[in-house]
Amino acid sequence: MKAAVLKSFGSPLIIEDVPEPTIGTGEVVVDVVATRVLSYMNEVFSGERNYALDLPIIPGPGGIGRVRALGPDATRLAIGDWVFCDPTVRSRDDAAAPDIALQGLTAAGPGGMRLQQHFRHGSFAQQMRVPTENVKRLGAITSEEATRWCALGTLLVPYGGFLAANLRPGEIVLVSGATGNFGSAAVAVALAMGAACVVAPGRNETILADLVRRFGDRVRPVNLTGNEDEDRERMKRASPGPIDCVFDIMPPSVSPTVVRAAIMTVRPYGRVVLMGGVGMLGGPGLELPYNWIMRDCITIHGVWMYPPDAATRLIALVRSGLLRLDHTDATEFDLDHANEAVAHAAANAGPFKMTVIRP
């Protein structure tokens, strides 16, 4: 089969023929029809992000495809089923605290690296091998619709954060990083889950106005100044009531003071979700007042990805019509032009934009 292979950091992907994946118990082989390209994949491939990858590897976190082969323990899947391949692979020998690898992208700790050595290859290929529990049925779709269903991979990240925070209908949410790709997805997901409104701070007035255009007056935009105290008050004033939940998805390049300004808008007994990259590339970490956390009974959730059942629940949210996929504009590339797709994703990052490879 044909695949795009990363053989060394700083080098382009090599498009070549590789052996087809073999199947074992607890595994499924999927014919990949469409897979998204993360906007920062170029930084992963260059080594700038210092992601844990045991090279050579076929990259690509998750994708949309059809079941090609099943292991003997699959009881609901069938050959030909349209599925989403969830890239969050968990070890099976410690359910309470599993090791995690993001298939085709990175791994956490020594256990995650061991996991990656088996489920190493991702979706930039014509076929991929996936743990049975990571293959989520989509129902009937067309080949053309596979591209837009790739948006699940982006939407799942904030969905996991809101599940951790137990977001309830009617609550007020603040999304720190609302003008980014994952942040704008967080706005859409929070509203689909029943948030009364979403406070959306940012410096890009055009993107803030677009969020209001897409979702109406349930989005409350806030133009940031860069002054921590002033911005915190602006965000509070924009909210129609106490802010129940703050969701942070700021990238590594952002100052911790910007993140802190947003976090400390949350009401007493409120919840904070941290899914961003503060300090990931070095520099100061996030400092929060101990007394404020303690006296205001603030719950802080550090969340990496989402629980195992999240993809199935999110698919149901889309099928219900509460969460729409047609907000996202996609640009398609074939596998032979994978390097061009990576460059395009980096140059066209932003809300509701997606670059897709169709192997």
Side-chain angles (χ1 to χ4, degrees):
M1 69 170 184
K2 186 186 295 184
V5 183
L6 180 67
K7 298 193 174 184
S8 62
F9 291 114
S11 298
L13 297 169
I14 304 299
I15 315 301
E16 62 183 10
D17 288 327
V18 301
E20 294 184 357
T22 57
I23 195 169
T25 301
E27 298 173 354
V28 175
V29 173
V30 173
D31 288 321
V32 181
V33 176
T35 176
R36 69 191 174 122
V37 182
L38 298 175
S39 62
Y40 56 84
M41 283 298 248
N42 62 325
E43 298 175 14
V44 175
F45 297 162
S46 70
E48 180 182 348
R49 288 226 172 192
N50 198 29
Y51 274 22
L53 285 173
D54 186 13
L55 304 181
I57 195 170
I58 300 169
I64 306 296
R66 305 192 76 170
V67 173
R68 181 183 184 89
L70 294 165
D73 60 337
T75 62
R76 303 293 178 88
L77 292 167
I79 304 298
D81 278 352
W82 282 100
V83 293
F84 167 69
C85 299
D86 180 356
T88 307
V89 179
R90 298 169 176 85
S91 59
R92 295 163 170 165
D93 51 356
D94 187 350
D99 289 305
I100 293 179
L102 299 185
Q103 189 172 6
L105 187 62
T106 190
M113 288 300 293
R114 287 182 59 190
L115 197 59
Q116 185 190 101
Q117 287 169 3
H118 183 67
F119 291 110
R120 59 187 297 101
H121 296 311
S123 53
F124 288 10
Q126 293 176 320
Q127 299 173 29
M128 66 182 299
R129 177 179 60 189
V130 186
T132 304
E133 64 270 25
N134 285 57
V135 178
K136 314 295 185 179
R137 291 182 296 172
L138 293 174
I141 67 171
T142 66
S143 177
E144 291 75 20
E145 289 173 332
T147 291
R148 72 174 186 174
W149 277 95
C150 287
L152 284 178
T154 302
L155 295 164
L156 267 169
V157 174
Y159 187 56
F162 290 131
L163 289 177
N166 191 27
L167 179 64
R168 293 182 286 270
E171 290 193 317
I172 297 174
V173 174
L174 184 145
V175 174
S176 173
T179 56
N181 190 19
F182 285 103
S184 59
V187 173
V189 169
L191 294 173
M193 294 175 71
C197 79
V198 176
V199 178
R203 296 189 182 187
N204 190 317
E205 295 184 16
T206 301
I207 293 177
L208 291 175
D210 183 64
L211 287 171
V212 175
R213 179 187 65 80
R214 291 175 186 270
F215 300 110
D217 59 8
R218 290 171 69 195
V219 175
R220 305 295 175 91
V222 180
N223 294 314
L224 297 179
T225 66
N227 179 284
E228 181 177 351
D229 293 335
E230 180 179 347
D231 286 341
R232 183 179 300 115
E233 292 307 310
R234 283 186 174 214
M235 288 182 270
K236 287 182 177 181
R237 288 196 301 269
S239 177
I243 295 169
D244 300 289
C245 178
V246 172
F247 175 88
D248 177 74
I249 194 71
M250 283 291 195
S253 58
V254 171
S255 167
T257 61
V258 177
V259 176
R260 184 169 57 236
I263 287 174
M264 294 187 67
T265 63
V266 75
R267 65 168 172 82
Y269 298 90
R271 294 99 69 204
V272 174
V273 178
L274 303 179
M275 297 192 81
V278 169
M280 190 174 73
L281 300 181
L286 178 64
E287 294 184 4
L288 294 172
Y290 185 102
N291 285 344
W292 171 74
I293 297 171
M294 182 268 290
R295 292 183 184 276
D296 280 11
C297 300
I298 304 300
T299 301
I300 298 177
H301 299 267
V303 184
W304 193 39
M305 304 308 284
Y306 38 82
D309 65 341
T312 299
R313 295 169 66 178
L314 189 67
I315 291 166
L317 203 60
V318 174
R319 288 298 191 186
S320 73
L322 292 170
L323 182 62
R324 292 166 49 188
L325 299 178
D326 58 1
H327 281 295
T328 302
D329 294 324
T331 303
E332 299 178 345
F333 292 82
D334 60 29
L335 190 57
D336 287 330
H337 295 87
N339 287 298
E340 289 88 340
V342 171
H344 181 273
N348 295 273
F352 307 110
K353 294 181 180 179
M354 184 169 59
T355 302
V356 171
I357 292 175
R358 293 184 60 101

